[in-house]
Amino acid sequence: MTLSDPDLELNPLGPMHSLAQGSSYTVRGPTPGSSGADRSKAVVKGAMGRFVDTFRRDDDRSINRIEMYVTDADHNNGTTPRTSSVVRDHHGGRYFDLQSANSKTASSLLARELKGRHLQMIAIGGSIGTGLFVASGKALGDGGPASVLLAYTFVGVMLYCTVQALGELAVVFPVAGSFSAFSTRFLDPSWGFAMGWNYALQWVVVLPLEIIAGAVTIGYWNPEINKAIFVTVFLLVIVIINMFGVKGYGEAEFVFAIVKVTAVIGFILLGIVINIGGTPTGGYIGGKYWTDPGAFNNGFKGTCSVFVTAAFAFAGTELVGLAAAETANPRKSLPTAIKQVFWRITIFYVVALTLVGLLVPYNDPRLLGATSIADASASPFVIAIESAGTTILPSIMNGVILVSVISVGNSSVFGSSRTLAALAEQGQAPKILGYVDRNGRPLVAILAASSVGLLAYLSDVQAQSQVFDWLLAISGLSTIFTWASTCLAHIRLRKAWAYHHRSPSDIAFRAQAGVAGSWVGFGFNALILVAQIWVSLDPIDPPGGRTTPRTSRDMAENFFIQCMAVPVILVFYLGHKLWYRTTPVRIEEMDIDTGRRDFGRLGIIKAQEEEERQAWPKWKRIYRVVC
């Protein structure tokens, strides 16, 4: 261990005089590659030997995980020490070791190589993909432009509150598998198990879904081309990027996000020009399509149907929290990245989709003629540009959609592999998935997640649309449960923090929306879930109405396509609950210190930051509040 490790903060005042008033905490071993002794012991046989050697587990690092527990006498008059994690007597039966799970996720062997610029671009544009560029077309056709604006704004407010809560959790506890780990630690181990597998499955199925979308997009230029060729190309690119480790993922996302952000800003500027009649072939449009055919379609039910499409479009925003465990300095980088989410929601979703609603009527035949939700020819962005009479710009927009496909596919392997590895560390998944090589890559989890991408070869079969619908069914509603659990975990953390007589000022980064924002986020997530269940039980009729009445089979199929995540989560939750007989974690038992990286120096750091802040001009202070 070296004191130069940027993420290692030991307590210089001793355990009984901590500035952070901690009870117990875990410090991880050295960053991968930091030990010269490890490298000197490696068996190297030329270039190939060095390459193969990188895939081996570093046994010394596995053994040298340092777990340090100290007792807290700060608020017991220094007499009776108490621990913040209670070990229950399990009488030799099946038992989930919560304390061990907390420790292992806090001392992960994953590499910490992401920098602030990586996190910022992941936050701004990391998950902008087919959910925004393509699926928004179905949302526009189902609900109309006003429904799209209302639903995306509603989900945006909810997500802002959720990401703020996630930021607080992830800065204080930048642990592996953040979503499942937080639910396990602060809610219930069985619910954490369900949330971990829910999140892993969500991203696992997004990979073939995005690759299929990319192969379909290629058909814009040549409908006759064999899609399997491009499925192979996209899958290989995504796997190769992830095999370069977290730094490869970060650098790729940095480039991809720049392309996507530039494209969205360019579309916004072009959309304004088209709307005011600035093109040679078109006149002034203004709000014409809000009057004819109208602002809403299918009434209140149409608006409700847009919510899950909006949630699917925003999915991936939470990846900044998952990446915290592999960030060199989460205390500094993560708050800035979290604040960028507000601008992403406002500019890249609300403003862009408002313009889409002004430029494309919801009854446009191209929207209604999509072969599947992945059909980029039905992208309202492409349709808006084509309607202006341009020739090359629609192809450029489709090129951006292809970049987005690779980007979100890249994120899907990252998100699912890290979640699977964390589940394995906690004893909630096969142990082999927790294998981490000496470069800090969860190799087995990466290969397992990537192998599901082979389902994308179904893009050439006639039932491609049905395959796409069922893949989307698993992933579409999953994010609602992840976000709601994050809000609830934040609320429970604050209650445990107060129970242990900690001051909110001891929290390295506090959610701007506070605990009230987490209640708002949790409530909004619950409303979206209720609305989706209603629409799934009483779906919207196709354009022109139904020619035959719905059968029981049709209704059951529609429910499971819309709400597949509900039974999946219940199976995982009840199965784990019946096996381990877990109970919700009580406030007095919550471990609020294992894995904290602000231990000991937070007061000094905050004092230095406040002194610097006082010297800033007023404009800079305002800027740093929102950025």
Side-chain angles (χ1 to χ4, degrees), residues 105 110 175-182 322 325 418-419 422-423 426:
T105 54
L110 297 173
V175 297
S178 57
F179 311 111
S180 62
F182 295 149
L322 190 67
R418 269 52 180 186
T419 304
L423 287 169
Q426 298 175 81

Side-chain angles (χ1 to χ4, degrees), residues 334-364:
L334 204 56
T336 303
I338 291 295
K339 293 174 185 176
Q340 306 299 329
V341 171
F342 170 79
W343 300 109
R344 171 179 160 184
I345 293 170
T346 303
I347 298 175
F348 304 136
Y349 286 90
V350 176
V351 173
L353 289 173
T354 299
L355 281 168
V356 163
L358 292 172
L359 299 175
V360 181
Y362 70 71
N363 60 356
D364 190 296

Side-chain angles (χ1 to χ4, degrees), residues 136-486:
S136 56
K138 181 180 183 301
L140 181 61
D142 286 344
S147 293
V148 169
L149 181 58
L150 287 173
Y152 276 78
T153 302
F154 184 90
V155 176
V157 171
M158 175 270 292
L159 190 59
Y160 172 77
C161 296
T162 301
V163 173
Q164 286 287 322
L166 174 61
E168 181 173 315
L169 286 164
V171 171
V172 178
F173 303 103
V175 297
S178 57
F179 311 111
S180 62
F182 295 149
S183 293
T184 296
R185 178 183 289 207
F186 300 120
L187 301 178
D188 182 341
S190 292
W191 188 250
F193 173 79
M195 285 301 96
W197 278 102
N198 167 64
Y199 195 74
L201 287 175
Q202 170 197 328
W203 279 116
V204 160
V205 300
V206 162
L207 177 60
L209 187 148
E210 291 291 331
I211 294 175
I212 290 174
V216 172
T217 302
I218 294 293
Y220 178 84
W221 293 286
N222 187 349
E224 303 301 322
I225 199 166
N226 189 334
K227 296 183 180 66
I229 298 173
F230 291 94
V231 167
T232 304
V233 171
F234 294 146
L235 188 57
L236 280 176
V237 170
I238 290 168
V239 172
I240 290 171
I241 289 173
N242 277 274
M243 291 306 292
F244 278 99
V246 69
K247 192 169 185 180
Y249 164 75
E251 293 294 349
E253 283 306 301
F254 183 79
V255 175
F256 293 152
I258 289 176
V259 172
K260 291 185 288 185
V261 168
T262 303
V264 174
I265 293 175
F267 173 82
I268 290 172
L269 296 176
L270 177 63
I272 293 172
V273 171
I274 295 173
N275 186 262
I276 63 177
T279 59
T281 57
Y284 177 75
I285 299 174
K288 179 174 67 174
Y289 296 135
W290 281 57
T291 305
D292 181 22
F296 292 94
N297 189 25
N298 295 311
F300 181 67
K301 189 186 295 184
T303 301
C304 290
S305 70
V306 180
F307 281 125
V308 168
T309 306
F312 174 72
F314 282 116
T317 306
E318 73 285 342
L319 279 172
V320 290
L322 190 67
E326 298 177 74
T327 301
N329 191 346
R331 164 75 180 86
K332 180 179 179 182
S333 303
L334 204 56
T336 303
I338 291 295
K339 293 174 185 176
Q340 306 299 329
V341 171
F342 170 79
W343 300 109
R344 171 179 160 184
I345 293 170
T346 303
I347 298 175
F348 304 136
Y349 286 90
V350 176
V351 173
L353 289 173
T354 299
L355 281 168
V356 163
L358 292 172
L359 299 175
V360 181
Y362 70 71
N363 60 356
D364 190 296
R366 288 167 291 185
L367 285 178
L368 306 178
T371 57
S372 74
I373 198 174
D375 189 353
S377 64
S379 165
F381 290 80
V382 175
I383 292 171
I385 297 172
E386 285 179 338
S387 299
T390 58
T391 54
I392 189 64
L393 289 181
S395 293
I396 293 176
M397 198 68 216
N398 273 280
V400 173
I401 292 174
L402 286 180
V403 171
S404 301
V405 163
I406 298 174
S407 173
V408 179
N410 185 33
S411 294
S412 73
V413 174
F414 174 81
S416 56
S417 63
R418 269 52 180 186
T419 304
L420 288 172
L423 287 169
E425 287 276 11
Q426 298 175 81
Q428 295 176 327
K431 189 175 180 180
I432 187 64
L433 292 172
Y435 181 91
V436 178
D437 69 5
R438 61 184 58 206
N439 280 353
R441 297 171 297 189
L443 280 181
V444 177
I446 289 174
L447 293 176
S450 301
S451 64
V452 181
L454 297 174
L455 290 175
Y457 284 104
L458 296 173
S459 60
D460 268 325
V461 302
Q462 290 184 346
Q464 171 230 128
S465 178
Q466 287 80 2
V467 172
F468 201 97
D469 286 341
W470 283 106
L471 289 176
L472 186 62
I474 299 174
S475 64
L477 206 57
S478 298
T479 51
I480 301 299
F481 287 94
T482 300
W483 295 337
S485 297
T486 299

Side-chain angles (χ1 to χ4, degrees), residues 88 96-98 101-102 178-197 423 426 428 485-486 488-489 492-493 569 572-587 589-590:
R88 306 174 190 175
F96 182 80
D97 191 341
L98 180 59
N102 293 341
S178 57
F179 311 111
S180 62
F182 295 149
S183 293
T184 296
R185 178 183 289 207
F186 300 120
L187 301 178
D188 182 341
S190 292
W191 188 250
F193 173 79
M195 285 301 96
W197 278 102
L423 287 169
Q426 298 175 81
Q428 295 176 327
S485 297
T486 299
L488 199 55
R492 298 271 290 166
L493 167 65
I569 288 171
F572 279 111
Y573 174 69
L574 294 176
H576 191 274
K577 176 73 72 175
L578 293 173
W579 183 259
Y580 284 108
R581 305 286 182 180
T582 63
T583 58
V585 182
R586 296 193 295 268
I587 295 294
E589 294 181 0
M590 285 186 190

